[in-house]
Amino acid sequence: MHRPSISIANWRIWTVTGIIYIGFTMLFLLPVFEQHLATITVNKDLTSYLGSIKQDKKPISSPSLISGTPISISINRLGVNLPIEKGYYDNLDGTWTLNNYHAFVDASTVANPVVSNATTGNAFIYAHDFENLFEKTSQLIPGDLVNITTSNDYIFTYEYQSGAIVEPSSTYILTQQGNKDQLTLMTCSGAWYQNRHVMYFSFLNVQPLKSKTAQT
């Protein structure tokens, strides 16, 4: 019987070994290759996404100046809701315009008082310390909000910061106390109403009335 030569046998062994080696190599390299392709795809998509954000992003413009004459004041948590009229200080008898139905905005210091979203300013509003007026303001706590509605249909929201008891002669309360547009409320205080309770609010935001938004 004729035996295959040793060279032919070795060739067959090396051939089978090579095929097995190539198969195992592909088996291990294929996931690596697929992961590399996935990484390229992700990086490409991420670059494209970041590029689109950069193109779509526009500079945010500063809010335009909005101001208006205050016509009502509300402090929802305390159930305060009052119309506002212009009030004046009488230098002859040292009294302010007052009645039992309204809050008043100081029109003596500024002829045409307004609230605004400007970075400076102080709107000064006062009323009697009566149950139906500003009596409940003694219950204010930091963070309480007050809304001022204006004649041009905007709502200005202010946040309560602090309060103080001062003498009637303390005129500094009419000027701004901080570096933001400010609202100051005042009412009487004390057993004989001999003092003044002053409350300071900082500007928070301004929004159009819902009725105005619906019309536009």
Side-chain angles (χ1 to χ4, degrees), residues 70-136:
I71 59 172
S72 70
I73 178 173
S74 63
I75 308 174
N76 292 334
R77 191 181 73 82
L78 301 181
V80 174
N81 191 3
L82 298 168
I84 296 175
E85 297 287 344
K86 287 184 178 181
Y88 302 88
Y89 182 74
D90 189 332
N91 290 301
L92 295 178
D93 59 12
T95 60
W96 289 87
T97 305
L98 284 166
N99 64 30
N100 299 340
Y101 312 103
H102 297 88
F104 293 88
V105 60
D106 172 30
S108 295
T109 307
V110 180
N112 295 301
V114 298
V115 289
S116 76
N117 59 346
T119 55
T120 59
N122 180 41
F124 180 77
I125 298 175
Y126 63 94
H128 270 309
D129 185 35
F130 294 167
E131 183 178 3
N132 63 319
L133 295 175
F134 273 6
E135 184 184 70
K136 293 180 181 178

Side-chain angles (χ1 to χ4, degrees), residues 14-33:
W14 282 109
T15 300
V16 172
T17 302
I19 293 173
I20 294 173
Y21 176 78
I22 292 172
F24 275 103
T25 301
M26 293 297 294
L27 182 64
F28 285 103
L29 288 181
L30 184 60
V32 176
F33 181 70

Side-chain angles (χ1 to χ4, degrees), residues 32-86:
V32 176
F33 181 70
E34 290 178 345
Q35 183 178 3
H36 178 67
L37 288 179
T39 301
I40 293 175
T41 303
V42 169
N43 288 339
K44 183 178 179 181
D45 292 342
L46 181 60
T47 302
S48 176
Y49 173 69
L50 293 176
S52 66
I53 291 179
K54 187 175 181 180
Q55 292 175 358
D56 294 340
K57 189 174 181 180
K58 298 179 180 179
I60 300 174
S61 58
S62 300
S64 58
L65 179 64
I66 300 174
S67 63
T69 303
I71 59 172
S72 70
I73 178 173
S74 63
I75 308 174
N76 292 334
R77 191 181 73 82
L78 301 181
V80 174
N81 191 3
L82 298 168
I84 296 175
E85 297 287 344
K86 287 184 178 181

Side-chain angles (χ1 to χ4, degrees), residues 122-176:
N122 180 41
F124 180 77
I125 298 175
Y126 63 94
H128 270 309
D129 185 35
F130 294 167
E131 183 178 3
N132 63 319
L133 295 175
F134 273 6
E135 184 184 70
K136 293 180 181 178
T137 57
S138 61
Q139 304 172 31
L140 283 168
I141 58 175
D144 277 342
L145 303 180
V146 57
N147 293 320
I148 303 295
T149 303
T150 61
S151 58
N152 55 343
D153 296 330
Y154 282 98
I155 297 179
F156 289 76
T157 300
Y158 294 82
E159 183 177 4
Y160 178 61
Q161 301 297 322
S162 63
I165 303 299
V166 302
E167 296 180 355
S169 58
S170 301
T171 57
Y172 70 88
I173 63 177
L174 300 176
T175 60
Q176 189 182 26

